[in-house]
Amino acid sequence: MSTKKFAKDSVTIMTEMVLPNDTNTLNNLMGGKLMHWMDVVAAIAAQKHSNRIVVTASADSISFKEPINLGNVVTLRSQVTRAFNSSMEVFIEVTAEDIPASKKIMTHRAFFTFVAVDHNSKPVRIPDLEPETPEEIELFEGALRRRQLRLVLAKRMKPEDAVELRSIFNLDITK
Ligand SMILES: CC(C)(COP(=O)(O)OP(=O)(O)OC[C@H]1O[C@@H](n2cnc3c(N)ncnc32)[C@H](O)[C@@H]1OP(=O)(O)O)[C@@H](O)C(=O)NCCC(=O)NCCS
């Protein structure tokens, strides 16, 4: 499939309220619950881009710096940053809002990778993505480096083949 799609075509926004069943004993949102919401919002963006069934292939490191409190309203925004062959990288931003206190903070940013598959779970080709805005272009350009890093860490790519990472690994390809 060669038709191009735009990053904006995949934008997905999901809003949830943190209820007692979602919290730990300190009345903060459980990390696993947040990761579940991130997985769902990112999968929807990946489906919008590919018009296919998608599976989560990886989730890049997520750190929990700010707790999200009981009663906060959590907004998750996702969009595909770049499409490769069957896989696509999705960027997720999370904000938490205490509406009565008029306080809103950005709590998390993460990259997930999804693979489009057919009904036999076989990866299938997806449309290319064309970035338009400066932010989309920056995300698009960084996506190749992040892809190579996650594939090296997953032992699916040899470090010497990760051309975008040469400066990080200090590899001399002339040897
Ligand atoms: C993801 C999956 C479809 C890849 O299948 P595979 O047979 O290994 O296919 P390939 O080696 O051809 O890889 C297909 C694509 O996945 C990407 N991929 C595979 N593992 C990856 C990883 N850990 N991180 C990022 N991308 C990955 C490959 O880079 C490739 O991308 P491309 O087609 O854009 O070049 C397969 O491993 C799978 O079904 N995993 C389980 C998914 C799942 O159940 N997720 C929910 C978790 S419970």
Side-chain angles (χ1 to χ4, degrees):
M1 192 189 289
S2 61
T3 354
K4 272 193 180 157
K5 288 180 87 170
F6 298 105
K8 66 182 174 214
D9 296 331
S10 66
V11 171
T12 305
I13 294 172
M14 191 169 118
T15 307
E16 298 280 347
M17 177 179 269
V18 181
L19 296 173
N21 261 355
D22 305 324
T23 61
N24 60 21
T25 48
L26 294 170
N27 281 342
N28 296 324
L29 177 64
M30 295 275 289
K33 186 74 192 184
L34 179 64
M35 288 192 281
H36 170 73
W37 289 339
M38 291 168 93
D39 197 24
V40 172
V41 76
I44 295 170
Q47 280 203 350
K48 284 185 187 174
H49 179 80
S50 61
N51 290 104
R52 290 286 191 167
I53 300 166
V54 298
V55 293
T56 316
S58 71
D60 292 5
S61 64
I62 305 171
S63 44
F64 298 94
K65 210 173 87 187
E66 300 278 354
I68 300 178
N69 307 125
L70 177 65
N72 279 183
V73 171
V74 179
T75 303
L76 302 102
R77 183 186 186 281
S78 61
Q79 77 180 88
V80 176
T81 63
R82 186 160 179 164
F84 296 97
N85 301 302
S86 64
S87 70
M88 64 214 107
E89 183 190 73
V90 181
F91 179 50
I92 307 141
E93 283 181 304
V94 183
T95 55
E97 192 171 1
D98 180 341
I99 297 177
S102 301
K103 274 207 286 199
K104 190 173 181 174
I105 51 165
M106 166 80 66
T107 58
H108 299 82
R109 299 173 122 213
F111 294 97
F112 281 32
T113 301
F114 286 82
V115 176
V117 294
D118 64 15
H119 286 280
N120 299 313
S121 303
K122 196 173 159 297
V124 287
R125 179 92 192 143
I126 55 171
D128 289 336
L129 180 137
E130 190 169 313
E132 296 176 291
T133 67
E135 196 200 358
E136 288 168 7
I137 292 168
E138 195 184 334
L139 287 165
F140 179 92
E141 286 174 351
L144 188 56
R145 189 181 64 245
R146 290 187 295 274
R147 167 183 159 97
Q148 293 188 351
L149 183 57
R150 66 178 74 93
L151 292 179
V152 168
L153 292 174
K155 300 204 183 321
R156 284 180 165 264
M157 180 181 266
K158 291 184 193 147
E160 55 269 32
D161 293 336
V163 289
E164 297 289 316
L165 304 178
R166 277 184 190 145
S167 56
I168 298 176
F169 289 117
N170 202 18
L171 289 175
D172 182 352
I173 51 153
T174 58
K175 285 183 186 163

